[in-house]
């Protein structure tokens, strides 16, 4: 079973920041937080991952709370092309390619 | 650098038949994982191969099998197809197990069983 809880859907206005929350209250010390997204009928796309520090890349920022029980993915300037299902996943580093997907959050970016 | 390539993209099979799907990982990636995606069950892990050995297996019946070749390319096979096997089958490649590296997914094979 997925170890994360995400809201099923969210809306965001184009050009605004999209903040997608994820709860992972049972996360272990050696588990990383990963974010993927899936645009309709395509393969999931890796976005970002982190252990305990906040992370930023060209796509997004990941904010992990100090107790690591929750995190937020931030898309700073959402565009219509960011409309997708966003998955938050926790996994240990030696779990290889095994990802346990939950239901994710369906983000709709509206003009 | 080429991405993960899955073939074929679309497939229609009849109940009872068997099917083989192919996945070519990103060059240099040695780990290949397979997933099934259906509207009802979402994305579910099938199995993972590394160095031609199955490392992890999800909760699927024995009709689902896979293998990996020395060049890291992988195939998955589903025998005695059932209507419920209709799904998007996704393959992901990563460098190797044991490191927190990201997995890259292919575009998937859409299998329809009639």
């Amino acid at each position: 079973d997925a170890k994360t809880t995400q809201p099923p859907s969210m809306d965001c206005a184009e050009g605004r920041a999209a903040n997608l929350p994820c709860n992972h209250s049972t996360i272990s010390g050696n588990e990383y937080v990963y974010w993927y997204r899936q645009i309709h009928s395509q393969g999931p796309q890796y976005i970002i991952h982190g252990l305990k520090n906040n992370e930023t890349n060209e796509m997004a920022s990941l904010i992990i709370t100090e107790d690591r029980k929750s995190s937020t993915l931030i898309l700073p300037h959402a565009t219509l092309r960011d409309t997708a299902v966003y998955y938050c996943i926790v996994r240990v580093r030696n779990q290889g390619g095994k990802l346990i997907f939950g239901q994710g959050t369906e983000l709709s970016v509206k003009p | 650098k080429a991405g993960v390539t899955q073939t074929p993209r679309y497939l229609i099979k009849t109940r009872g038949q068997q099917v083989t799907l192919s996945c070519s990982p990103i060059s240099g990636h040695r780990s290949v994982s397979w997933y099934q995606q259906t509207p009802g069950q979402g994305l579910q892990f099938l199995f993972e191969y590394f160095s031609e050995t199955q490392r992890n297996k999800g909760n699927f019946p024995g009709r689902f099998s896979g293998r990996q070749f020395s060049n890291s390319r992988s195939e998955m096979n589903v025998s005695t197809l059932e209507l419920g096997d209709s799904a998007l089958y996704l393959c992901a490649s990563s460098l190797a197990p044991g490191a927190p590296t990201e997995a890259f997914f292919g575009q998937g094979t859409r299998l329809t069983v009639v």
Side-chain angles (χ1 to χ4, degrees), chain A residues 5-24:
Chain A
T5 305
Q6 299 176 252
S9 63
M10 291 182 63
D11 288 342
C12 177
E14 190 178 18
R16 298 283 192 155
N19 296 284
L20 293 97
C22 179
N23 286 321
H24 31 79

Side-chain angles (χ1 to χ4, degrees), chain A residues 78-91:
Chain A
T79 71
L80 299 179
R81 287 178 295 180
D82 292 322
T83 292
V85 178
Y86 287 77
Y87 296 99
C88 170
I89 299 164
V90 297
R91 56 171 282 219

Side-chain angles (χ1 to χ4, degrees), chain B residues 11-34:
Chain B
L11 206 49
I12 299 175
K13 288 286 189 179
T14 305
R15 270 183 304 174
Q17 288 186 312
Q18 66 95 25
V19 67
T20 300
L21 311 181
S22 179
C23 173
S24 293
I26 291 171
S27 177
H29 284 195
R30 297 170 59 200
S31 175
V32 174
S33 302
W34 288 90

Side-chain angles (χ1 to χ4, degrees), chain B residues 5-13 18-24 34-36 46-47 64-67 69 73-78 81 85 87-91 108-112:
Chain B
T5 304
Q6 291 190 246
T7 57
R9 290 293 309 278
Y10 302 92
L11 206 49
I12 299 175
K13 288 286 189 179
Q18 66 95 25
V19 67
T20 300
L21 311 181
S22 179
C23 173
S24 293
W34 288 90
Y35 293 81
Q36 181 196 64
L46 277 158
F47 29 64
F64 292 81
S65 62
R67 60 177 175 168
F69 302 94
R73 189 177 71 86
S74 177
E75 290 180 347
M76 69 161 282
N77 184 279
V78 187
L81 283 165
D85 296 333
L88 180 67
Y89 289 89
L90 292 155
C91 157
T109 294
R110 173 77 61 184
L111 172 65
T112 302

